[in-house]
Amino acid sequence: MTSLDVQEQLLANNDQYQIKVKLDMPSELGGLTHGRIIYLNGRKSKAELNQNLAEEIGHEKFTVGNIVHEDSNSDTQQENKARVWGMQQLVSLNALVDAWQAGACSPQEVAEELEVTPEYLLDAIEMWRTKKGLTFWHGDYYFDLTNGIQIQRYDE
């Protein structure tokens, strides 16, 4: 899947937004939404652009008010909710199965297949551990996240 495909996929379900890539954004800022335009920092990698887009859409779904400075516990919770939503979009259980079926074995290979950074992938795996546990079923697939990502298919 190419980066454009990842971004198109995110926007397909959120078609009210437009993306504009800007090269003059502050380096610490990955993305910013104004109205229905999501501005992405063009100095970021393709993987980071994907992650920032997913998080910005998550902010639009779950954030109330300006939380740029994360001044309160509520701001931090909203930030986390947007980040988790983005992870669930980019590193969904189905996407992990697809990466496994494509032959990606190591975290680096899985991250490349999903077009996210390895750090983001590891954060997403930790999120799935918290939500689902270390071992669980997803359809015909048995996930073991105890030590990395291990997926097995079992047909009934």
Side-chain angles (χ1 to χ4, degrees):
M1 184 181 307
T2 68
S3 182
L4 186 57
D5 290 336
V6 171
Q7 292 175 15
E8 285 176 348
Q9 222 171 7
L10 284 169
L11 291 175
N13 296 325
N14 302 282
D15 60 356
Q16 68 271 35
Y17 301 107
Q18 294 178 352
I19 299 174
K20 291 194 177 184
V21 178
K22 308 263 304 166
L23 294 172
D24 60 350
M25 292 177 74
S27 60
E28 68 277 359
L29 188 61
L32 178 69
T33 303
H34 181 69
R36 294 294 173 212
I37 299 174
I38 298 174
Y39 296 95
L40 297 175
N41 191 333
R43 291 184 280 165
K44 303 291 183 182
S45 70
K46 288 181 182 180
E48 290 170 313
L49 288 172
N50 293 337
Q51 295 162 195
N52 292 330
L53 176 59
E55 190 169 323
E56 286 301 315
I57 293 172
H59 281 303
E60 289 302 302
K61 289 183 173 295
F62 303 112
T63 301
V64 177
N66 182 348
I67 65 165
V68 170
H69 300 293
E70 291 185 55
D71 292 332
S72 70
N73 195 26
S74 173
D75 291 353
T76 301
Q77 288 175 340
Q78 289 182 75
E79 179 68 34
N80 289 337
K81 193 168 187 175
R83 185 165 166 78
V84 165
W85 184 87
M87 287 178 186
Q88 290 174 331
Q89 304 310 300
L90 298 178
V91 187
S92 69
L93 297 176
N94 289 338
L96 289 170
V97 167
D98 291 345
W100 173 73
Q101 288 175 331
C105 298
S106 71
Q108 179 68 35
E109 292 171 336
V110 173
E112 286 176 18
E113 184 69 26
L114 300 182
E115 295 192 50
V116 297
T117 63
E119 297 81 15
Y120 189 86
L121 173 69
L122 294 176
D123 287 348
I125 295 304
E126 188 58 38
M127 178 269 304
W128 285 120
R129 286 179 182 137
T130 300
K131 282 186 152 315
K132 304 284 273 177
L134 295 176
T135 60
F136 56 89
W137 286 92
H138 177 70
D140 293 337
Y141 297 91
Y142 180 73
F143 281 71
D144 183 346
L145 304 179
T146 305
N147 196 13
I149 309 165
Q150 296 177 21
I151 302 172
Q152 293 291 318
R153 181 181 177 145
Y154 294 97
D155 293 319
E156 298 193 46

